[in-house]
Amino acid sequence: MDQTYSYRRQEVVVKSLKVEEILERWPALFTPEQINEEFRRCTTIPLESSFMSNLDKHTSKLLTVFSSVGGSRGERLRLQWIELVQNPSASVVRKRDVVLRCLVDYMGDNIR
């Protein structure tokens, strides 16, 4: 993949391919491993571990933001993060899952 990085970049940037065309030509770019590898190759930063450590660092602030939301969205958020308040010994993985689900809902998207 390293040898074809410049070629892929040229194809994506210069030809302005649609996502469907990129997926067809370079399907490996859409796997988690390759996304992480491409990010590391471009920035020298490990994407997933960096993201998760920063998510852990900002979890309490995010929960504060989520708790300030009103209306039906705020109620949905509370139903999700109340589990973390009631169970402070929840695993790190479970905390991340709850915070990411709340974040998606907070941003107005639906993952279900």
Side-chain angles (χ1 to χ4, degrees), residues 3-15:
Q3 297 171 338
T4 60
Y5 175 74
S6 333
Y7 179 69
R8 282 193 325 268
R9 185 176 185 285
Q10 287 296 320
E11 216 174 74
V12 170
V13 175
V14 175
K15 292 183 180 177

Side-chain angles (χ1 to χ4, degrees), residues 65-77:
V65 170
F66 300 150
S67 69
S68 68
V69 176
S72 62
R73 177 171 285 159
E75 187 57 34
R76 283 195 314 271
L77 291 171

